[in-house]
Amino acid sequence: MFKKFNIKEDIATRSLVKSSVQRNIRSKILEQYNRLEPVIDEVLPKKSSLILVKCHEHINLLTVNNEILFFQHFDGPYYPTLRLLHKYPHAFPRVQVDKGATKRILSGANIMCPGLTSKGARLEEALPANTIVGVFAEGKEHALAIGLTKMSTDDIKNINKDIGVENIHYLNDPLWKSSIES
Amino acid sequence: MSEQDTPAPSTSASTAVQVIYCGVCSLPPEYCEYGPTLSKCKEWLQEKHSELFDKLYSQTNIENDVATLSLENKPTNDAEDKKKAKVFIEAAKIERELQKKMASKVTITRIARNKKKSVTNVGGLQNFDIDLKKAAKNFASKFACGSSVVKNNQGIDEIVVQGDVSDDLYDYILETWPNVPEDNIELTEEKKSKK
């Protein structure tokens, strides 16, 4: 999604979110990531001024204190950014890929099933299709991508072919590099 | 391998994990090896977070030693060499870009509009990672005049400052952005001499 993205040029509008809308967003995020509940006040403090940055191609960014926390495409689910995922790695479902896949993911490739089922990889939780997951690498501590499962984990194990997790946001992609300036 | 490296999931999720990011390539240091600036990242890490450096690279060093040891017996590994060459080429590429950047010029041009009035045109600031919009705003408040970002006929953004402020601009640029070398600023007059 972010292969071509230039924060400087792509920002359309930037607006302070009303507190009622902010509550809405907050509950939506909690609905999606119920494991985020204990830390939600840290992530989205109630008194914080949440700024919604609308970008071209229907990308919305939620920022607090000039930090991009979540992004959203069209009306879809809220994705956490990698920096947020690094801070709260346990608040999101995780999958782990083997070593061979690391390099490809960092250049933006989708994750194929074999990379998720081989020896170094891990699929600990049973996840349905279309779940937002943090992608971790074998032998590394931090996540390297945010993905969207294309099939359930059971299917990934059984079919073991084609795209298992779509790569949404990865280390060093334009979104990672971009920072919001006030 | 995977078991010892993944953090225990029991660590409480309620506190934010502090992640160190590499100052050179902005990735978490463990991913520096996938970036093009590994050698520089290593230097940075050693300087700033030597503990982490030891943790990350001591193992690979040993592995390298083992590799070289075993290499003495075997004929040289072609694939390895190629990989190294590739990394080297990429590093050189970045170096070259940096040099190019250092060589790029900032041009300050005074353009006469009618007999008494003139505008000052500043081009090339974007090569030094300067936000043109902000710079224009700064100029406007500094010199108390209109200042804006305009595309020139080649489609490159330039800053146009109303009034003749070329000499002041020269000093101001040097003052505000020390990364712009003095030799790279060119003062010119009239449109003819403009690059």
Side-chain angles (χ1 to χ4, degrees), chain B residues 49-97:
Chain B
H49 303 279
S50 51
E51 268 168 54
L52 200 64
F53 179 84
D54 292 343
K55 196 175 131 203
L56 279 178
Y57 294 111
S58 59
Q59 188 148 5
T60 50
N61 283 346
I62 292 165
E63 268 169 27
N64 279 346
D65 286 348
V66 172
T68 44
L69 276 180
S70 56
L71 277 181
E72 281 166 15
N73 305 333
K74 285 180 214 159
T76 40
N77 196 340
D78 260 2
E80 193 99 323
D81 277 359
K82 257 183 199 166
K83 212 172 166 189
K84 267 183 192 160
K86 208 175 171 190
V87 169
F88 184 75
I89 287 169
E90 267 175 25
K93 208 176 180 183
I94 288 167
E95 193 79 4
R96 232 178 305 145
E97 262 167 30

Short mmCIF file of all heavy atoms in Angstrom, two decimals, chain B residues 49-97:
data_model
loop_
_atom_site.label_atom_id
_atom_site.label_comp_id
_atom_site.label_asym_id
_atom_site.label_seq_id
_atom_site.Cartn_x
_atom_site.Cartn_y
_atom_site.Cartn_z
N HIS B 49 25.74 2.34 21.46
CA HIS B 49 25.21 1.26 22.29
C HIS B 49 26.13 0.05 22.18
O HIS B 49 25.81 -0.92 21.51
CB HIS B 49 23.80 0.87 21.82
CG HIS B 49 22.84 2.01 21.82
ND1 HIS B 49 22.22 2.43 22.96
CD2 HIS B 49 22.41 2.81 20.83
CE1 HIS B 49 21.44 3.46 22.66
NE2 HIS B 49 21.54 3.71 21.37
N SER B 50 27.27 0.14 22.84
CA SER B 50 28.27 -0.91 22.63
C SER B 50 27.77 -2.28 23.11
O SER B 50 28.13 -3.31 22.56
CB SER B 50 29.57 -0.55 23.32
OG SER B 50 29.32 -0.19 24.65
N GLU B 51 26.93 -2.25 24.15
CA GLU B 51 26.39 -3.53 24.64
C GLU B 51 25.68 -4.28 23.53
O GLU B 51 25.92 -5.45 23.26
CB GLU B 51 25.34 -3.28 25.72
CG GLU B 51 25.85 -3.25 27.12
CD GLU B 51 24.76 -2.71 28.01
OE1 GLU B 51 23.65 -3.27 27.97
OE2 GLU B 51 25.01 -1.73 28.72
N LEU B 52 24.76 -3.52 22.93
CA LEU B 52 23.94 -4.10 21.89
C LEU B 52 24.81 -4.55 20.73
O LEU B 52 24.58 -5.59 20.12
CB LEU B 52 22.91 -3.07 21.41
CG LEU B 52 21.70 -3.62 20.70
CD1 LEU B 52 20.90 -4.49 21.64
CD2 LEU B 52 20.84 -2.49 20.21
N PHE B 53 25.81 -3.75 20.47
CA PHE B 53 26.72 -4.08 19.37
C PHE B 53 27.37 -5.44 19.63
O PHE B 53 27.39 -6.30 18.76
CB PHE B 53 27.80 -3.01 19.25
CG PHE B 53 28.79 -3.27 18.16
CD1 PHE B 53 28.52 -2.90 16.86
CD2 PHE B 53 29.98 -3.91 18.44
CE1 PHE B 53 29.41 -3.15 15.85
CE2 PHE B 53 30.89 -4.16 17.43
CZ PHE B 53 30.60 -3.78 16.14
N ASP B 54 27.85 -5.59 20.86
CA ASP B 54 28.49 -6.86 21.18
C ASP B 54 27.53 -8.01 21.00
O ASP B 54 27.86 -9.06 20.45
CB ASP B 54 29.01 -6.84 22.62
CG ASP B 54 30.15 -5.85 22.77
OD1 ASP B 54 30.71 -5.47 21.72
OD2 ASP B 54 30.45 -5.45 23.91
N LYS B 55 26.31 -7.76 21.46
CA LYS B 55 25.33 -8.83 21.42
C LYS B 55 25.01 -9.22 19.97
O LYS B 55 24.91 -10.40 19.64
CB LYS B 55 24.05 -8.35 22.12
CG LYS B 55 23.10 -9.47 22.47
CD LYS B 55 21.93 -8.89 23.25
CE LYS B 55 20.63 -9.36 22.68
NZ LYS B 55 19.52 -8.47 23.00
N LEU B 56 24.89 -8.20 19.14
CA LEU B 56 24.46 -8.48 17.78
C LEU B 56 25.58 -9.02 16.91
O LEU B 56 25.37 -9.92 16.11
CB LEU B 56 23.92 -7.20 17.13
CG LEU B 56 22.50 -6.81 17.46
CD1 LEU B 56 22.17 -5.51 16.78
CD2 LEU B 56 21.54 -7.89 17.00
N TYR B 57 26.75 -8.44 17.07
CA TYR B 57 27.76 -8.74 16.07
C TYR B 57 28.85 -9.68 16.54
O TYR B 57 29.62 -10.17 15.74
CB TYR B 57 28.38 -7.44 15.54
CG TYR B 57 27.39 -6.62 14.77
CD1 TYR B 57 26.91 -5.41 15.27
CD2 TYR B 57 26.91 -7.07 13.55
CE1 TYR B 57 25.97 -4.67 14.56
CE2 TYR B 57 25.97 -6.35 12.84
CZ TYR B 57 25.51 -5.15 13.34
OH TYR B 57 24.59 -4.43 12.64
N SER B 58 28.93 -9.93 17.84
CA SER B 58 29.99 -10.83 18.28
C SER B 58 29.79 -12.21 17.67
O SER B 58 30.73 -12.84 17.21
CB SER B 58 30.01 -10.93 19.79
OG SER B 58 28.77 -11.40 20.25
N GLN B 59 28.53 -12.60 17.62
CA GLN B 59 28.25 -13.92 17.08
C GLN B 59 28.63 -14.01 15.60
O GLN B 59 29.28 -14.97 15.18
CB GLN B 59 26.77 -14.23 17.24
CG GLN B 59 26.44 -15.66 16.88
CD GLN B 59 25.30 -16.18 17.72
OE1 GLN B 59 24.71 -15.44 18.50
NE2 GLN B 59 25.00 -17.44 17.59
N THR B 60 28.24 -12.99 14.87
CA THR B 60 28.56 -13.04 13.45
C THR B 60 30.06 -12.99 13.23
O THR B 60 30.58 -13.59 12.29
CB THR B 60 27.90 -11.87 12.69
OG1 THR B 60 28.21 -10.67 13.37
CG2 THR B 60 26.40 -12.05 12.61
N ASN B 61 30.75 -12.26 14.12
CA ASN B 61 32.20 -12.22 13.98
C ASN B 61 32.79 -13.61 14.11
O ASN B 61 33.65 -14.02 13.34
CB ASN B 61 32.81 -11.30 15.04
CG ASN B 61 32.63 -9.85 14.67
OD1 ASN B 61 32.29 -9.56 13.52
ND2 ASN B 61 32.81 -8.97 15.62
N ILE B 62 32.30 -14.30 15.12
CA ILE B 62 32.79 -15.65 15.32
C ILE B 62 32.48 -16.49 14.09
O ILE B 62 33.35 -17.21 13.58
CB ILE B 62 32.14 -16.28 16.57
CG1 ILE B 62 32.64 -15.55 17.81
CG2 ILE B 62 32.48 -17.76 16.66
CD1 ILE B 62 31.82 -15.82 19.04
N GLU B 63 31.27 -16.34 13.63
CA GLU B 63 30.88 -17.10 12.45
C GLU B 63 31.80 -16.79 11.28
O GLU B 63 32.24 -17.68 10.56
CB GLU B 63 29.44 -16.78 12.06
CG GLU B 63 28.46 -17.72 12.69
CD GLU B 63 27.04 -17.23 12.52
OE1 GLU B 63 26.78 -16.50 11.55
OE2 GLU B 63 26.21 -17.57 13.38
N ASN B 64 32.12 -15.51 11.16
CA ASN B 64 33.01 -15.13 10.07
C ASN B 64 34.37 -15.78 10.23
O ASN B 64 34.96 -16.25 9.26
CB ASN B 64 33.19 -13.61 10.04
CG ASN B 64 32.01 -12.95 9.35
OD1 ASN B 64 31.23 -13.63 8.69
ND2 ASN B 64 31.88 -11.65 9.50
N ASP B 65 34.84 -15.77 11.48
CA ASP B 65 36.13 -16.39 11.73
C ASP B 65 36.11 -17.85 11.32
O ASP B 65 37.01 -18.35 10.65
CB ASP B 65 36.49 -16.28 13.21
CG ASP B 65 36.91 -14.87 13.56
OD1 ASP B 65 37.13 -14.09 12.60
OD2 ASP B 65 37.01 -14.54 14.74
N VAL B 66 35.04 -18.51 11.75
CA VAL B 66 34.90 -19.92 11.41
C VAL B 66 34.90 -20.08 9.89
O VAL B 66 35.57 -20.95 9.34
CB VAL B 66 33.61 -20.49 12.02
CG1 VAL B 66 33.37 -21.89 11.49
CG2 VAL B 66 33.72 -20.51 13.53
N ALA B 67 34.14 -19.17 9.26
CA ALA B 67 34.03 -19.24 7.81
C ALA B 67 35.41 -19.09 7.15
O ALA B 67 35.77 -19.85 6.26
CB ALA B 67 33.08 -18.18 7.29
N THR B 68 36.15 -18.11 7.64
CA THR B 68 37.46 -17.89 7.02
C THR B 68 38.38 -19.08 7.28
O THR B 68 39.18 -19.45 6.43
CB THR B 68 38.12 -16.61 7.54
OG1 THR B 68 37.96 -16.55 8.94
CG2 THR B 68 37.56 -15.38 6.87
N LEU B 69 38.24 -19.63 8.47
CA LEU B 69 39.06 -20.79 8.79
C LEU B 69 38.78 -21.92 7.82
O LEU B 69 39.69 -22.54 7.26
CB LEU B 69 38.79 -21.26 10.22
CG LEU B 69 39.58 -20.53 11.31
CD1 LEU B 69 39.22 -21.10 12.66
CD2 LEU B 69 41.07 -20.64 11.05
N SER B 70 37.47 -22.15 7.65
CA SER B 70 37.12 -23.27 6.78
C SER B 70 37.43 -22.94 5.33
O SER B 70 37.67 -23.82 4.52
CB SER B 70 35.65 -23.63 6.96
OG SER B 70 34.88 -22.49 6.71
N LEU B 71 37.43 -21.64 5.04
CA LEU B 71 37.71 -21.23 3.67
C LEU B 71 39.15 -21.54 3.29
O LEU B 71 39.46 -21.81 2.13
CB LEU B 71 37.46 -19.73 3.48
CG LEU B 71 36.02 -19.32 3.22
CD1 LEU B 71 35.94 -17.83 3.03
CD2 LEU B 71 35.48 -20.04 2.00
N GLU B 72 40.02 -21.50 4.28
CA GLU B 72 41.43 -21.77 3.96
C GLU B 72 41.60 -23.15 3.37
O GLU B 72 42.47 -23.39 2.54
CB GLU B 72 42.27 -21.63 5.23
CG GLU B 72 42.57 -20.17 5.55
CD GLU B 72 43.10 -20.01 6.95
OE1 GLU B 72 43.51 -21.00 7.56
OE2 GLU B 72 43.10 -18.86 7.42
N ASN B 73 40.77 -24.04 3.83
CA ASN B 73 40.87 -25.40 3.30
C ASN B 73 40.18 -25.53 1.95
O ASN B 73 40.67 -26.19 1.05
CB ASN B 73 40.25 -26.39 4.28
CG ASN B 73 40.89 -26.24 5.65
OD1 ASN B 73 42.04 -25.83 5.75
ND2 ASN B 73 40.13 -26.58 6.68
N LYS B 74 39.05 -24.86 1.86
CA LYS B 74 38.27 -25.00 0.62
C LYS B 74 38.65 -23.92 -0.38
O LYS B 74 39.23 -22.90 -0.01
CB LYS B 74 36.78 -24.83 0.94
CG LYS B 74 36.17 -26.04 1.62
CD LYS B 74 34.72 -25.74 1.87
CE LYS B 74 34.25 -26.39 3.15
NZ LYS B 74 33.07 -25.76 3.67
N PRO B 75 38.31 -24.12 -1.63
CA PRO B 75 38.47 -23.02 -2.59
C PRO B 75 37.48 -21.90 -2.25
O PRO B 75 36.46 -22.16 -1.62
CB PRO B 75 38.11 -23.66 -3.94
CG PRO B 75 37.34 -24.89 -3.59
CD PRO B 75 37.86 -25.35 -2.26
N THR B 76 37.82 -20.69 -2.62
CA THR B 76 37.00 -19.56 -2.22
C THR B 76 35.56 -19.69 -2.70
O THR B 76 35.30 -20.16 -3.80
CB THR B 76 37.57 -18.23 -2.78
OG1 THR B 76 38.03 -18.48 -4.09
CG2 THR B 76 38.66 -17.69 -1.90
N ASN B 77 34.71 -19.20 -1.86
CA ASN B 77 33.28 -19.34 -2.14
C ASN B 77 32.84 -18.20 -3.07
O ASN B 77 32.90 -17.04 -2.70
CB ASN B 77 32.54 -19.28 -0.81
CG ASN B 77 31.15 -19.77 -0.94
OD1 ASN B 77 30.60 -19.81 -2.05
ND2 ASN B 77 30.57 -20.16 0.16
N ASP B 78 32.41 -18.58 -4.23
CA ASP B 78 32.08 -17.56 -5.23
C ASP B 78 30.89 -16.69 -4.81
O ASP B 78 30.92 -15.48 -4.92
CB ASP B 78 31.76 -18.22 -6.57
CG ASP B 78 32.95 -18.15 -7.51
OD1 ASP B 78 33.98 -17.63 -7.04
OD2 ASP B 78 32.85 -18.61 -8.64
N ALA B 79 29.88 -17.38 -4.34
CA ALA B 79 28.65 -16.66 -4.00
C ALA B 79 28.92 -15.61 -2.94
O ALA B 79 28.43 -14.48 -3.00
CB ALA B 79 27.59 -17.64 -3.52
N GLU B 80 29.71 -16.01 -1.98
CA GLU B 80 30.05 -15.09 -0.88
C GLU B 80 30.73 -13.84 -1.42
O GLU B 80 30.40 -12.72 -1.08
CB GLU B 80 30.97 -15.82 0.10
CG GLU B 80 31.13 -15.10 1.39
CD GLU B 80 30.22 -15.70 2.45
OE1 GLU B 80 29.09 -16.09 2.13
OE2 GLU B 80 30.65 -15.77 3.59
N ASP B 81 31.69 -14.08 -2.30
CA ASP B 81 32.44 -12.97 -2.87
C ASP B 81 31.51 -12.01 -3.61
O ASP B 81 31.62 -10.79 -3.47
CB ASP B 81 33.50 -13.50 -3.85
CG ASP B 81 34.74 -13.91 -3.09
OD1 ASP B 81 34.73 -13.75 -1.85
OD2 ASP B 81 35.70 -14.40 -3.72
N LYS B 82 30.62 -12.61 -4.36
CA LYS B 82 29.71 -11.78 -5.15
C LYS B 82 28.87 -10.90 -4.23
O LYS B 82 28.65 -9.72 -4.49
CB LYS B 82 28.79 -12.69 -5.97
CG LYS B 82 29.20 -12.75 -7.43
CD LYS B 82 28.22 -13.59 -8.20
CE LYS B 82 28.84 -14.05 -9.51
NZ LYS B 82 28.05 -15.10 -10.12
N LYS B 83 28.42 -11.52 -3.16
CA LYS B 83 27.59 -10.81 -2.20
C LYS B 83 28.35 -9.62 -1.64
O LYS B 83 27.85 -8.50 -1.57
CB LYS B 83 27.24 -11.77 -1.07
CG LYS B 83 25.88 -11.50 -0.46
CD LYS B 83 25.59 -12.63 0.49
CE LYS B 83 24.46 -12.35 1.40
NZ LYS B 83 24.36 -13.39 2.42
N LYS B 84 29.59 -9.89 -1.28
CA LYS B 84 30.40 -8.82 -0.70
C LYS B 84 30.59 -7.68 -1.69
O LYS B 84 30.51 -6.51 -1.35
CB LYS B 84 31.75 -9.39 -0.27
CG LYS B 84 31.75 -9.82 1.18
CD LYS B 84 33.11 -10.29 1.61
CE LYS B 84 33.00 -10.98 2.95
NZ LYS B 84 34.13 -11.86 3.21
N ALA B 85 30.86 -8.07 -2.92
CA ALA B 85 31.07 -7.07 -3.96
C ALA B 85 29.83 -6.20 -4.12
O ALA B 85 29.90 -4.98 -4.25
CB ALA B 85 31.40 -7.76 -5.28
N LYS B 86 28.67 -6.85 -4.03
CA LYS B 86 27.42 -6.14 -4.19
C LYS B 86 27.25 -5.10 -3.10
O LYS B 86 26.91 -3.95 -3.35
CB LYS B 86 26.27 -7.15 -4.15
CG LYS B 86 25.06 -6.71 -4.93
CD LYS B 86 24.05 -7.82 -4.91
CE LYS B 86 22.74 -7.34 -5.47
NZ LYS B 86 21.69 -8.33 -5.24
N VAL B 87 27.52 -5.55 -1.87
CA VAL B 87 27.41 -4.63 -0.74
C VAL B 87 28.35 -3.45 -0.94
O VAL B 87 27.99 -2.30 -0.73
CB VAL B 87 27.75 -5.37 0.58
CG1 VAL B 87 27.90 -4.38 1.72
CG2 VAL B 87 26.67 -6.38 0.88
N PHE B 88 29.53 -3.78 -1.41
CA PHE B 88 30.53 -2.74 -1.61
C PHE B 88 30.04 -1.72 -2.64
O PHE B 88 30.15 -0.51 -2.46
CB PHE B 88 31.83 -3.39 -2.07
CG PHE B 88 32.96 -2.40 -2.22
CD1 PHE B 88 33.59 -1.90 -1.08
CD2 PHE B 88 33.36 -1.98 -3.47
CE1 PHE B 88 34.62 -0.99 -1.21
CE2 PHE B 88 34.39 -1.07 -3.60
CZ PHE B 88 35.01 -0.58 -2.47
N ILE B 89 29.48 -2.25 -3.72
CA ILE B 89 29.00 -1.36 -4.78
C ILE B 89 27.91 -0.44 -4.26
O ILE B 89 27.90 0.76 -4.53
CB ILE B 89 28.46 -2.20 -5.97
CG1 ILE B 89 29.63 -2.82 -6.71
CG2 ILE B 89 27.64 -1.33 -6.92
CD1 ILE B 89 29.23 -3.85 -7.71
N GLU B 90 27.02 -1.01 -3.45
CA GLU B 90 25.94 -0.20 -2.93
C GLU B 90 26.45 0.91 -2.02
O GLU B 90 25.98 2.04 -2.05
CB GLU B 90 24.95 -1.08 -2.17
CG GLU B 90 23.83 -1.53 -3.09
CD GLU B 90 22.89 -2.50 -2.41
OE1 GLU B 90 22.80 -2.47 -1.17
OE2 GLU B 90 22.27 -3.28 -3.13
N ALA B 91 27.42 0.54 -1.21
CA ALA B 91 28.00 1.54 -0.32
C ALA B 91 28.63 2.67 -1.13
O ALA B 91 28.47 3.85 -0.82
CB ALA B 91 29.04 0.89 0.58
N ALA B 92 29.30 2.28 -2.19
CA ALA B 92 29.95 3.28 -3.05
C ALA B 92 28.91 4.20 -3.67
O ALA B 92 29.12 5.40 -3.81
CB ALA B 92 30.75 2.58 -4.14
N LYS B 93 27.79 3.61 -4.01
CA LYS B 93 26.71 4.37 -4.62
C LYS B 93 26.24 5.47 -3.68
O LYS B 93 26.08 6.64 -4.08
CB LYS B 93 25.56 3.42 -4.91
CG LYS B 93 24.68 3.81 -6.07
CD LYS B 93 23.68 2.71 -6.24
CE LYS B 93 22.72 2.95 -7.36
NZ LYS B 93 21.75 1.84 -7.40
N ILE B 94 26.04 5.09 -2.43
CA ILE B 94 25.58 6.06 -1.45
C ILE B 94 26.62 7.16 -1.27
O ILE B 94 26.30 8.35 -1.20
CB ILE B 94 25.28 5.35 -0.12
CG1 ILE B 94 24.02 4.54 -0.28
CG2 ILE B 94 25.15 6.34 1.01
CD1 ILE B 94 23.80 3.57 0.82
N GLU B 95 27.86 6.74 -1.23
CA GLU B 95 28.95 7.70 -1.08
C GLU B 95 28.91 8.72 -2.22
O GLU B 95 29.02 9.92 -2.03
CB GLU B 95 30.27 6.93 -1.10
CG GLU B 95 31.45 7.74 -0.64
CD GLU B 95 31.48 7.83 0.88
OE1 GLU B 95 30.64 7.21 1.56
OE2 GLU B 95 32.33 8.54 1.37
N ARG B 96 28.70 8.18 -3.42
CA ARG B 96 28.69 9.05 -4.59
C ARG B 96 27.55 10.05 -4.53
O ARG B 96 27.71 11.22 -4.86
CB ARG B 96 28.56 8.21 -5.86
CG ARG B 96 29.65 8.54 -6.88
CD ARG B 96 29.51 7.65 -8.08
NE ARG B 96 29.53 6.25 -7.70
CZ ARG B 96 28.81 5.29 -8.31
NH1 ARG B 96 28.04 5.61 -9.32
NH2 ARG B 96 28.88 4.04 -7.93
N GLU B 97 26.40 9.55 -4.06
CA GLU B 97 25.26 10.43 -3.95
C GLU B 97 25.55 11.58 -2.99
O GLU B 97 25.18 12.72 -3.22
CB GLU B 97 24.04 9.65 -3.47
CG GLU B 97 23.15 9.25 -4.62
CD GLU B 97 22.13 8.22 -4.20
OE1 GLU B 97 21.73 8.21 -3.03
OE2 GLU B 97 21.75 7.41 -5.06
#
